[in-house]
Amino acid sequence: MQRIKTFKSLSRAASAASFLSVQALICIGTAYWAIAETLYLSGAGALVLGVLFALPSAYVLLTVVRMAFDAETDPANQ
């Protein structure tokens, strides 16, 4: 099945990906803040926690972008 890759479908995919990415970052940031404050982390501890959150956060963002692209370029959704 051929994907529909027009300016309209790609701009919709970019819009959906940016919206969902912002929502995911808000949730991830809130979880980071809650854990850091609960454990009274500051300085190096907060930095280590941020590094631990970085890889799963990147995975979530890449998944969101891929899902938005797949959904908006699928011929069944046009």
Side-chain angles (χ1 to χ4, degrees), residues 24-36 53:
L25 285 174
I26 289 170
C27 292
I28 292 166
T30 302
Y32 168 81
W33 172 78
I35 293 170
F53 268 62

Side-chain angles (χ1 to χ4, degrees), residues 10-32:
L10 293 177
S11 65
R12 286 179 180 173
S15 297
S18 64
F19 174 74
L20 294 172
S21 295
V22 167
Q23 297 299 315
L25 285 174
I26 289 170
C27 292
I28 292 166
T30 302
Y32 168 81

Side-chain angles (χ1 to χ4, degrees), residues 6-78:
T6 62
F7 178 75
K8 187 177 182 180
S9 67
L10 293 177
S11 65
R12 286 179 180 173
S15 297
S18 64
F19 174 74
L20 294 172
S21 295
V22 167
Q23 297 299 315
L25 285 174
I26 289 170
C27 292
I28 292 166
T30 302
Y32 168 81
W33 172 78
I35 293 170
E37 290 298 318
T38 301
L39 298 175
Y40 301 106
L41 297 178
S42 63
L47 186 61
V48 169
L49 184 63
V51 169
L52 291 175
F53 268 62
L55 188 60
S57 300
Y59 176 75
V60 166
L61 295 178
L62 288 173
T63 302
V64 163
V65 170
R66 187 177 63 230
M67 285 176 25
F69 177 78
D70 290 344
E72 293 297 331
T73 58
D74 188 14
N77 292 336
Q78 302 300 319

